[in-house]
Amino acid sequence: MTAGDRGVAVFTGSPGGESFTMVADGKGGAIFAWRGFTTVGDNISAQHINSSGARLWGRLGAVVCGESHGQTTPMLAADGSGGAIFAWHDFRLEDASDIFAQRLGAFGNRCWPADGVPVCTADNVDSLGAVISDGAGGAIFIWQDHRLGSDQDI
């Protein structure tokens, strides 16, 4: 697909993806994230489309996290430098999900350790609520969990 009446393809690989989300890049384009299905599991991938409709991170996008135990529910915030900070539910440590994060630079390069950094690994993490840039290359995350019992805490 090309730019025009039909739009621009964010991802053209196989197999497909789900849980697409996006954020404006502040320069007329957008950065997208999704859960993609690969031969090693469910992974988080991303693509940066500029204001002209060009894919900046290759035909398949950039891998945010490729850890083999699966990731879901990506969220992201633009970092103000052409990249973004991503957060997701991650299943590498146990059956219940934890929250991990990664920053991709302007060229789609991973800025933090290869499969992300832990944000919260407490028991009973429930749902990721939001991620926002802190304006200095980091992020602020909010989630709810049940770590102290049956009540949900922020």
Side-chain angles (χ1 to χ4, degrees), residues 54-140:
R55 290 183 297 226
L56 300 181
W57 295 346
R59 184 178 70 83
L60 299 177
V63 174
V64 175
C65 180
E67 205 282 329
S68 65
H69 288 87
Q71 300 81 39
T72 64
T73 323
M75 299 186 113
L76 72 155
D79 68 4
S81 299
I85 299 163
F86 302 81
W88 63 88
H89 288 271
D90 194 290
F91 296 91
R92 73 183 76 179
L93 299 178
E94 56 185 73
D95 290 337
S97 70
D98 294 309
I99 298 172
F100 276 70
Q102 177 63 269
R103 180 178 179 206
L104 294 187
F107 299 103
N109 55 301
R110 292 184 222 176
C111 298
W112 298 343
D115 288 321
V117 295
V119 172
C120 180
T121 59
D123 289 341
N124 300 316
V125 171
D126 198 19
S127 64
L128 180 60
V131 54
I132 61 169
S133 172
D134 68 1
I140 300 165

